[in-house]
Amino acid sequence: MTNRTPHTRLPERLLSRRSWPEARFLADVLRTETVGGGLLLLGAVIALAWANSPWRSAYAELGRWVPWPGGGALHLDLDLAAWAADGLLAIFFFVVGLELKREFVAGDLRDPRRATVPVVAAIGGMLVPALCYVAVVLSTGGAGLRGWAIPTATDIAFALAVLAVVSSHLPQGLRAFLLTLAVVDDLFAIIIIAVFYTADFRPLPLLAALAPIAVFALLVQRRRTWWWALIPLAGLAWALVHASGVHATVAGVLLGFTVPVLPSRAGGPGLAERLEHRWRPVSAGLAVPVFAFFAAGVSLVDVDLGAVLTDPVVLGVAAGLVLGKTVGVFGSTFLLARFTRAELDEEITWADLLGLALLAGIGFTVSLLIGELAFGAGSPEDDRVKTAVLLGSLIAATLASTVLLRRNRVYRRISERESRDADGDGIPDVYQERTT
């Protein structure tokens, strides 16, 4: 063992393993998201197959069907595709809000030293793709600049589904980094949607939405989890935010932020963790796959593929997801390590981080949502965005799988060591080792 003086400071470890309670919570989250990612892929594949089949008109009519034609007074006369994007995705963003609150109060983001790496990586992973998109679009005339934010989002469920398919046993430090990166990514995406993609803003409904949100907050702060009260309050808050012109999914985030994270005096998990455990399967297993089904159905019948693949919006989105995300996530982390003299955790190499940065280029749910907000659902530009997101995500997934599979044997060995429990006490031995 190397001798060191008491004043010698050990280098900061990047992508290190979490504590056992956090590792157990992370495993539950990743397990649910992996299953949800598989359902997301299934929904997208069914949509693509149906939209390019002889029965494609039925798919289009299904998305345009309005289940509540009399809801115009409340701006709720939406078709099924809009209900999936505005309604079901509010559940997804409610879970995101719970996740963000937990990360800020009890997770990695509460510690500035541990938060620095994923926050810097997320910022780099959003700025560089946006710049790639803008550069490509400007080089071809500048049409389509409104979609600059499309390639900035990472879809954690899609990424984890890819990992499950390639059987990669990523070390816990890398998985934790990927999840925290996606959480911070979602936070910035929410800000972008609220600031840059809000049209016809009406302040009165938004102010009125504060009332049900406040009552919801009062109940959850007092640990009153009456479903018959919380669900109607959440629905009213959603309807008022939707009527204000702000994208209705923001209501889900605001409601998630009101839920307390820390355990009550009686002990046990905090309310945020309990609600996340309850609603994450609904989000991953229903809300996101249904949205994918209605959002991914782009028809390529009678389409000039050559013109599509040379379209500036398609090239900008694909370049942002594949090149921009990789350079942004990997480059920002590398520079942070270089200037702070931090080191990667044991058994993790820069090649592993490169694979993770490529994996972050898989965009789907939020990318498709921003595309709809930027160009309008069903518009020609929106169809090109769908093509670009699917193409860019496929390329990113293929490249990430190629890089990560080369180290899969090492990952499997690390995974076996992280799960070994020789004394049978339910806690892996690696979390009980004492450092000397």
Side-chain angles (χ1 to χ4, degrees), residues 30 45 76 84 105 107 165 230 255 258 269 285 335 338 352 358 385 404:
L30 294 177
V45 169
L76 300 180
V105 175
V165 170
L230 295 182
L255 292 168
T258 67
L335 290 175
R338 180 71 179 270
D352 301 327
L358 286 164
V385 167
L404 294 175

Side-chain angles (χ1 to χ4, degrees), residues 107-123:
D108 272 1
L109 299 182
R110 78 185 187 280
D111 183 350
R113 290 185 304 172
R114 294 182 67 182
T116 299
V117 180
V119 169
V120 169
I123 293 174

Side-chain angles (χ1 to χ4, degrees), residues 68-344:
W68 189 17
L74 297 174
H75 304 277
L76 300 180
D77 51 341
L78 308 175
D79 57 34
L80 280 183
W83 274 113
D86 293 358
L88 285 178
L89 276 194
I91 300 174
F92 166 76
F93 278 100
F94 174 68
V95 174
V96 168
L98 293 172
E99 200 170 51
L100 282 168
K101 180 77 174 287
R102 184 185 180 280
E103 286 290 332
F104 279 117
V105 175
D108 272 1
L109 299 182
R110 78 185 187 280
D111 183 350
R113 290 185 304 172
R114 294 182 67 182
T116 299
V117 180
V119 169
V120 169
I123 293 174
M126 298 189 81
L127 285 178
V128 180
L131 291 174
C132 282
Y133 179 93
V134 170
V136 171
V137 171
L138 286 178
S139 68
T140 56
L145 276 177
R146 184 166 170 74
W148 62 270
I150 295 169
T152 61
T154 295
D155 195 301
I156 184 65
F158 203 155
L160 291 172
V162 171
L163 284 179
V165 170
V166 301
S167 300
S168 179
H169 298 75
L170 273 188
Q172 200 232 33
L174 285 173
R175 288 180 177 268
F177 176 78
L178 178 62
L179 180 62
T180 308
L181 171 70
V183 169
V184 179
D185 193 302
D186 287 336
L187 173 61
F188 286 115
I190 292 161
I191 295 172
I192 288 172
I193 290 171
V195 174
F196 296 99
Y197 295 103
T198 293
D200 302 324
F201 177 63
R202 292 174 289 275
L204 289 180
L206 186 61
L207 291 173
L210 296 178
I213 292 175
V215 178
F216 184 97
L218 180 64
L219 290 176
V220 294
Q221 289 295 327
R222 295 186 175 185
R223 268 63 177 185
R224 302 291 190 266
T225 55
W226 304 317
W227 65 266
W228 48 265
L230 295 182
I231 292 179
L233 286 169
L236 179 59
W238 176 90
L240 290 169
V241 172
H242 181 272
S244 74
V246 177
H247 198 265
T249 53
V250 174
V253 180
L254 296 176
L255 292 168
F257 278 162
T258 67
V259 180
V261 170
L262 299 178
S264 64
R265 295 178 181 177
L271 184 56
E273 184 175 338
R274 286 165 48 200
L275 289 181
E276 189 175 347
H277 180 75
R278 184 175 302 170
W279 284 98
R280 185 178 290 279
V282 179
S283 169
L286 175 65
V288 173
V290 171
F291 169 76
F293 171 77
F294 283 108
V298 56
S299 177
L300 299 177
V301 178
D302 300 325
V303 171
D304 185 351
L305 289 179
V308 170
L309 296 179
T310 56
D311 183 86
V313 171
V314 175
L315 293 176
V317 171
L321 289 174
V322 179
L323 179 63
K325 274 289 185 181
T326 304
V327 173
V329 173
F330 183 87
S332 58
T333 308
F334 180 81
L335 290 175
L336 181 68
R338 180 71 179 270
F339 287 108
T340 62
R341 297 184 179 179
E343 297 179 0
L344 293 178

